[in-house]
Amino acid sequence: MSGLARGMIVAPQPDAVEAGALLYQAGGNAVDAVIGCAFAQCVVDQMMCGIAGFGVAQLYLPKKKTHEVVNFLSKAPLSVRPDMWADLFEYETRDGFGFVLKGRVNDLGYQSIAVPGSLKGFQDLHGRHGRLPWAQVIQPAIRLAEEGYRVTPAVHTYWTTLEGMGRVEVMERLRFTPACASLFFASSGAPHPIGTVVKNPDYGRTLRRIAAEGADSFYKGVLAEQIAADMERHGGRVARRDLETYMVDRGEPIWGEYRGHRVSVTQPASSGPMLLKMLHTLERFDLKGLGHNTPEYIQVVAEVMKRAGVVKDRLIGDPAFIQVPVERIIDRAAAAVEAEAIAKGERAHIARAEAKEAADTTHISALDAEGNAVTLTHSLGMQSGVITEGLGFMYNGAMAMFDPRPGHPQSLAPGKQRMSSMAPAIVFKGNEPYIVLGAPGGSSIPLGILQVILNAIDFGMPIVEAVSAPHFSATGNAIDVSARIPRTVCAALGRMGYQTIHSVQSFIAARVHAVMIENGRVTGAADPATGGMALAV
């Protein structure tokens, strides 16, 4: 492949991208690079991800004749009850990412922590498909933890920006435990300024143990003992049995099509089927004829987004607990009916229990010179604010995504997977990967991935332009639009009867990171808002 001696890797954090690139240079493949990058992300961007987080990956490894999805989403602890928070329910967030309870017990602190899957997922992927030794893949992350990393503008902005969604603000999360506050705040009590070097020797020691003993230390060994003891002391629900019984799920991708391209997505409880549903519906429209980001274009795409959101809320969840009708969700005949309804002017409505998913997730897309493609998204959900003294890593706050009301698709149940908007995807041209992509961004993840695919296929944009173009998002009944979409467009949508929320930010919604392969030439693009980069070696 032109200009690709070893591989391409794209992610939001430059230090983590460089970690992956170094593993390419050491003879590693795309799996080594992605897992090494992921470990580094867990150190340098602890608000977005961690070894006590969760995620999902899609791998296409042609020489091994392997194309699979590995799901390592978090699970509800075995001690939960479906009705244990029913009397605390206040409202559902506007974009459908989580539920707000009195006292925010599901959102901050020990009870917000679900059973982590990330470390088990990383080891599963690397152990079966990596080339370099496990300890070597973790080494760049250990170095960053022990020698230090700099606070980037993107990270600092995330710390200091008020979310205003009714949930706990980031600053409060970062102050929740002394071990957490000592990492992110100066002795004066102010958050570290941009450029501050942060060292986390506790995390370094934890990673050294994992490098030597594997994930078993976290799930069954010394680290498991420390985690379970801390949870018990502070009323957390994650117990030793939860860690010992955690398993990743492996399966085949789900397939769809868009304008002659085959598209592979991840299975439920992730949102891959939602992405295919939108593509199958939009294929019925002449999007190029409507014009990119015109009022008419936004209207059509937003209506498709809303309909997909309704399906996600009603039908997508943990397939071990509910029947997810994947074939019905992605059915092309049903998509044609929906397209006809949209063309006639019918409007969808998303019913929510009152009226926003924060983008505290991260992503990696990679391709190596052998044609191996990996797209992996991982997250903390929201930060629990909890760091066990001496361990250095933050736990997920994923319990906020479970519905406290019994009888719903996302209701609490022991061992139930947290439904996720993650949707890492691969678009094929013929039998070869064309675009390898995914994103952080909460409920808007499938919507951002959708727009990049439309930009590339319908409008012929190079991948940098496709990723960087202004986005909009309809995760609820209002349409959120980038500051780079003119107000005149919003005014026209208003005359059509749509509420628009014009962001002050130029880059909103999902932060897509992608690799494109066209005529043997490989290019990559990181969403500019993340401060990330694409690096070929």
Side-chain angles (χ1 to χ4, degrees):
M1 297 178 183
S2 177
L4 195 63
R6 294 182 175 88
M8 166 77 75
I9 186 163
V10 189
Q13 303 86 358
D15 284 339
V17 172
E18 188 171 354
L22 289 172
L23 293 168
Y24 274 140
Q25 291 176 336
N29 61 14
V31 175
D32 294 312
V34 164
I35 299 304
C37 178
F39 270 111
Q41 289 174 318
C42 291
V43 172
V44 304
D45 209 346
Q46 282 213 66
M47 289 62 63
M48 297 295 158
C49 59
I51 59 173
F54 56 91
V56 64
Q58 183 181 168
L59 300 86
Y60 174 72
L61 312 173
K63 290 188 176 180
K64 295 183 72 171
K65 295 182 168 38
T66 296
H67 191 178
E68 67 177 12
V69 171
V70 179
N71 172 338
F72 46 98
L73 296 173
S74 57
K75 299 180 181 182
L78 295 170
S79 63
V80 306
R81 303 186 316 275
D83 63 348
M84 68 182 194
W85 285 335
D87 60 340
L88 301 178
F89 175 72
E90 290 190 346
Y91 57 89
E92 186 178 1
T93 56
R94 177 171 68 84
D95 66 357
F97 184 77
F99 300 85
V100 176
L101 305 185
K102 294 175 184 176
R104 307 306 187 255
V105 295
N106 64 334
D107 189 31
L108 180 69
Y110 284 83
Q111 288 202 45
S112 72
I113 302 168
V115 185
S118 286
L119 183 56
K120 185 67 74 77
F122 294 169
Q123 183 164 286
D124 179 81
L125 290 163
H126 177 267
R128 292 183 301 114
H129 302 302
R131 182 179 296 158
L132 298 175
W134 171 248
Q136 185 176 354
V137 168
I138 302 176
Q139 187 56 42
I142 294 172
R143 177 180 55 79
L144 287 164
E146 294 179 343
E147 297 180 10
Y149 59 90
R150 292 175 299 175
V151 175
T152 67
V155 166
H156 193 270
T157 297
Y158 181 72
W159 289 355
T160 56
T161 299
L162 293 178
E163 194 178 36
M165 296 183 183
R167 293 186 299 202
V168 174
E169 297 292 349
V170 172
M171 281 294 186
E172 189 175 344
R173 298 177 190 276
L174 300 184
R175 288 192 176 102
F176 184 74
T177 57
C180 187
S182 66
L183 283 175
F184 304 118
F185 294 89
S187 57
S188 65
H192 289 312
I194 293 169
T196 301
V197 175
V198 176
K199 296 182 179 181
N200 191 344
D202 289 344
Y203 210 160
R205 282 188 291 271
T206 295
L207 290 174
R208 285 190 180 278
R209 181 178 291 276
I210 291 168
E213 301 174 6
D216 274 357
S217 180
F218 185 98
Y219 290 92
K220 298 178 180 180
V222 173
L223 294 175
E225 291 177 4
Q226 293 177 265
I227 292 167
D230 191 38
M231 296 291 163
E232 186 174 4
R233 279 195 302 271
H234 294 94
R237 292 187 173 272
V238 176
R240 184 70 181 263
R241 185 163 63 116
D242 293 302
L243 297 171
E244 290 175 345
T245 57
Y246 184 90
M247 299 287 289
V248 303
D249 294 323
R250 303 179 198 139
E252 296 181 354
I254 299 168
W255 288 92
E257 294 183 14
Y258 186 70
R259 305 206 194 282
H261 297 76
R262 298 165 65 233
V263 184
S264 61
V265 300
T266 53
Q267 305 163 332
S270 71
S271 294
M274 181 183 175
L275 176 59
L276 292 185
K277 176 180 173 62
M278 292 188 289
L279 289 170
H280 289 169
T281 306
L282 288 168
E283 195 171 34
R284 301 281 173 167
F285 292 91
D286 177 11
L287 299 181
K288 188 174 183 179
L290 291 176
H292 188 258
N293 281 358
T294 62
E296 295 76 18
Y297 174 87
I298 293 176
Q299 177 190 25
V300 166
V301 177
E303 283 297 330
V304 170
M305 289 175 173
K306 289 197 294 179
R307 282 165 168 77
V310 169
V311 165
K312 184 188 79 167
D313 290 348
R314 293 178 180 173
L315 300 178
I316 297 179
D318 185 345
F321 286 80
I322 66 169
Q323 185 175 2
V324 183
V326 171
E327 293 303 321
R328 177 155 63 95
I329 292 171
I330 67 174
D331 182 68
R332 297 175 72 82
V337 172
E338 289 212 347
E340 185 176 353
I342 293 169
K344 289 179 179 178
E346 295 182 17
R347 307 281 175 93
H349 178 76
I350 298 179
R352 293 250 161 83
E354 189 46 50
K356 303 191 177 168
E357 172 171 358
D360 54 337
T361 300
T362 195
H363 182 81
I364 316 160
S365 295
L367 180 82
D368 66 28
E370 296 177 0
N372 297 314
V374 182
T375 172
L376 182 152
T377 310
H378 62 126
S379 179
L380 291 179
M382 288 295 290
Q383 312 90 2
S384 65
V386 175
I387 294 179
T388 294
E389 194 71 38
L391 296 187
F393 61 83
M394 190 181 296
Y395 298 96
N396 71 76
M399 292 299 289
M401 191 62 190
F402 287 101
D403 195 330
R405 303 166 298 174
H408 293 264
Q410 307 306 325
S411 296
L412 283 163
K416 190 176 186 179
Q417 281 187 347
R418 172 198 186 275
M419 184 270 168
S420 174
S421 295
M422 297 174 182
I426 303 177
V427 179
F428 287 77
K429 185 180 287 187
N431 294 320
E432 301 295 330
Y434 171 45
I435 309 173
V436 181
L437 74 170
S443 295
S444 66
I445 286 173
L447 314 187
I449 294 170
L450 171 73
Q451 288 172 84
V452 171
I453 293 173
L454 302 181
N455 290 346
I457 293 177
D458 288 271
F459 297 96
M461 296 182 189
I463 197 61
V464 172
E465 185 179 349
V467 165
S468 303
H471 289 173
F472 57 92
S473 175
T475 54
N477 295 302
I479 305 174
D480 293 275
V481 298
S482 160
R484 293 182 295 144
I485 293 177
R487 291 187 181 275
T488 53
V489 172
C490 296
L493 286 164
R495 292 191 291 272
M496 295 176 182
Y498 289 94
Q499 177 192 1
T500 59
I501 300 173
H502 198 250
S503 177
V504 297
Q505 298 180 352
S506 292
F507 299 91
I508 67 164
R511 315 300 197 188
V512 181
H513 293 73
V515 177
M516 177 181 278
I517 310 98
E518 196 162 26
N519 300 321
R521 182 170 180 263
V522 181
T523 52
D527 186 286
T530 66
M533 70 176 178
L535 190 58
V537 295

